[in-house]
Amino acid sequence: MTKLQKKVLFFVAGVLSFACALAIAAALGIQLWVKGTVLCKTGAQLVNATGDELQKFMGEIQYGLFYGERVKHCGLGGRPITFSFFPDLLNAIPASIHVSVVIFTTSLIVFALVGTGFFMFNAFGNPYEALHGPVGLYLWCFVSCSCGCLVLILFSSEVKMHNLSENIANYKEGGFVFKTETEHFEKSFWIVLVCTLVHFSNMFLIRLAGFDFPFSKSKELDTSSGAIDLMY
């Protein structure tokens, strides 16, 4: 592969990495991570509601990593309520997992920006056989991909295994009991998934440029010269 083709590949990978950083930053601040419906179980049991009558007791909930909104339906019409995770819901949710999701999502933005800088440096600068070269590109792609996977795994476990939506719906409800009927991940969650796949694919762009994966084979270092060998 020619020098120009390598620069084009690195430039494309850098643009993709920067786009991921912007997309994840936008996803971090909006409440489009989870959306679902919640049944007012207590109200439905009081009137023995069945079939279509249950729709009068079916509310909605949607939230992100910092705040959200729910609409309560207990047979008397909808009542919208906004809530925030910090500090209101820390006692009702697995706080350690939720804080970890926020931290890893923020780290993913930072690492994506650092990866962007490395790709652009390799495209327009004079990289050398160190962290400024292909090893650095592989490193930051791997770190970004790992952070994205952790965000997806932790948030999925928080929602599905720890019943996050149901805990939020029942927070300070007194005698009313709410049950989650449906829930699905929204745009922000899928943005993180797509960006994780982009960082993973960037590693193959580096390989396509002609640089082997790190530790794929041992190389003998020439210690006789103090000069730094340029990659290209």
Side-chain angles (χ1 to χ4, degrees):
M1 182 172 289
T2 65
K3 180 179 178 180
L4 178 60
Q5 290 174 325
K6 292 179 181 179
K7 290 181 178 294
V8 170
L9 281 178
F10 290 145
F11 176 76
V12 171
V15 170
L16 290 174
S17 184
F18 183 69
C20 287
L22 294 180
I24 295 172
L28 180 63
I30 60 178
Q31 60 180 32
L32 291 176
W33 284 72
V34 175
K35 189 174 183 179
T37 57
V38 180
L39 173 67
C40 181
K41 189 176 179 180
T42 304
Q45 288 177 342
L46 287 175
V47 298
N48 292 323
T50 58
D52 295 338
E53 294 178 345
L54 288 175
Q55 296 302 319
K56 297 180 180 180
F57 301 91
M58 197 72 69
E60 298 178 351
I61 185 171
Q62 69 174 29
Y63 53 88
L65 298 183
F66 297 100
Y67 61 95
E69 182 179 5
R70 53 177 294 220
V71 179
K72 296 170 59 178
H73 279 276
C74 292
L76 299 175
R79 289 186 297 163
I81 300 173
T82 58
F83 57 87
S84 61
F85 285 92
F86 305 99
D88 299 340
L89 294 173
L90 288 181
N91 294 329
I93 64 173
S96 59
I97 297 179
H98 195 80
V99 171
S100 298
V101 172
V102 175
I103 291 175
F104 282 120
T105 305
T106 306
S107 300
L108 180 55
I109 299 172
V110 175
F111 292 142
L113 291 175
V114 173
T116 300
F118 271 67
F119 277 114
M120 293 305 177
F121 180 71
N122 277 263
F124 301 107
N126 293 313
Y128 46 86
E129 289 291 350
L131 287 180
H132 295 282
V135 176
L137 297 179
Y138 279 120
L139 172 64
W140 294 114
C141 286
F142 175 76
V143 171
S144 299
C145 188
S146 299
C147 281
C149 290
L150 286 173
V151 170
L152 297 172
I153 293 172
L154 290 175
F155 189 71
S156 298
S157 66
E158 183 182 14
V159 173
K160 300 299 183 180
M161 298 178 63
H162 294 273
N163 301 318
L164 182 60
S165 300
E166 199 163 294
N167 291 339
I168 295 173
N170 287 286
Y171 181 66
K172 289 185 177 180
E173 282 300 330
F176 286 93
V177 176
F178 292 85
K179 180 182 178 182
T180 303
E181 289 295 307
T182 62
E183 63 181 1
H184 58 272
F185 296 111
E186 277 289 313
K187 294 179 181 178
S188 295
F189 181 86
W190 300 120
I191 286 174
V192 175
L193 174 60
V194 170
C195 291
T196 302
L197 294 177
V198 168
H199 289 300
F200 183 74
S201 64
N202 277 349
M203 289 191 285
F204 289 93
L205 287 180
I206 303 170
R207 182 65 185 87
L208 184 63
F211 299 104
D212 293 328
F213 293 114
F215 312 115
S216 61
K217 60 180 181 179
S218 60
K219 293 184 178 180
E220 296 181 358
L221 298 178
D222 184 9
T223 59
S224 61
S225 174
I228 300 175
D229 294 331
L230 294 179
M231 285 167 47
Y232 43 79

